[in-house]
Amino acid sequence: MKKALPIIILLVVLVGGYFLLSMNYQNGALGHKQAADKSWADVEGAYQRRNDLIGNLVNTVKGAAEFEKSTLEAVVNARAKATAVNIDPTNITPEQLEQFQQAQSGVSSALSRLLVSVEKYPDLKANQNFLKLQDELASTENQILTSRTRYNEKVELYNNYVLKMPAKFFLSGYPERAFFKADAGAEKAPEVKFEF
């Protein structure tokens, strides 16, 4: 019995140490996961603000001018597609993020066409409601950029925590998260042409 006592004590210390180390890594990973989830919610909130503003912008444009119907429909349809894409923040895959980004790019593209078309309507350009919405939209685009940047920062911290050894050994239930990436072709500068 006396010979077995040191082995029992060693086993208790090893199991207890393993439990405490595992608990420490789990709690750390949970903190990083929560920060990344909150950042994702901020991204969604910024996109939601843009979607809300688009509805007001379309209604203002509709009421202020005989506007190209196809341009307005493109904005409304792109907005509908973007709001239909739902992502589970606890399990964001690169594919889901790409699908979300494509839908949001469709909104940006349609919105750009709308704002370019507005140039043909001087009364609309002078409309205070339209100008205010345009300023809010520009501000919202900056919020989206900031939210996406902060999300990537939180994902970097999370991924570094859960993928490094020895934490990775204890955190098999915490998968790597995807980063926001630039749209395809974003690395090329746009060609600007002035035609008079």
Side-chain angles (χ1 to χ4, degrees):
M1 183 71 170
K2 286 185 179 183
K3 290 184 180 183
L5 187 60
I7 294 173
I8 292 171
I9 291 172
L10 181 63
L11 285 174
V12 167
V13 168
L14 287 175
V15 168
Y18 176 83
F19 176 75
L20 290 175
L21 196 56
S22 175
M23 189 172 60
N24 183 45
Y25 282 120
Q26 292 283 335
N27 288 337
L30 182 63
H32 288 297
K33 180 182 175 305
Q34 290 295 317
D37 288 348
K38 185 212 173 285
S39 272
W40 177 252
D42 292 344
V43 169
E44 288 183 321
Y47 279 116
Q48 182 62 52
R49 175 179 158 82
R50 178 173 77 170
N51 287 335
D52 292 346
L53 285 171
I54 288 171
N56 292 334
L57 187 66
V58 166
N59 288 334
T60 300
V61 170
K62 254 194 236 178
E66 275 299 314
F67 211 75
E68 288 94 349
K69 188 176 179 184
S70 62
T71 304
L72 290 175
E73 285 176 357
V75 172
V76 171
N77 290 338
R79 178 180 171 229
K81 285 179 187 172
T83 57
V85 177
N86 292 319
I87 293 181
D88 175 11
T90 61
N91 189 26
I92 297 175
T93 65
E95 295 79 20
Q96 288 175 323
L97 204 51
E98 185 177 332
Q99 181 186 13
F100 181 83
Q101 224 169 324
Q102 284 176 350
Q104 295 303 330
S105 291
V107 172
S108 296
S109 175
L111 202 50
S112 295
R113 288 192 305 275
L114 173 69
L115 294 176
V116 166
S117 298
V118 163
E119 294 299 316
K120 298 177 191 173
Y121 298 92
D123 290 344
L124 181 58
K125 286 179 14 181
N127 179 311
Q128 289 303 309
N129 288 339
F130 178 78
L131 293 174
K132 183 178 179 216
L133 285 168
Q134 199 172 15
D135 286 344
E136 283 189 45
L137 201 54
S139 170
T140 299
E141 292 298 328
N142 287 331
Q143 286 178 355
I144 288 170
L145 173 64
T146 300
S147 294
R148 287 172 59 158
T149 301
R150 288 182 181 154
Y151 171 76
N152 279 347
E153 289 169 357
K154 297 298 182 189
V155 166
E156 178 185 26
L157 290 172
Y158 169 84
N159 285 346
N160 281 334
Y161 189 85
V162 301
L163 296 175
K164 284 183 180 177
M165 292 304 266
K168 187 175 183 173
F169 179 70
F170 296 100
L171 300 173
S172 61
Y174 289 86
E176 180 177 4
R177 288 213 167 171
F179 288 99
F180 261 109
K181 294 183 179 153
D183 294 332
E187 71 281 355
K188 298 175 191 163
E191 186 178 330
V192 178
K193 292 182 182 179
F194 292 102
E195 296 178 15
F196 297 99

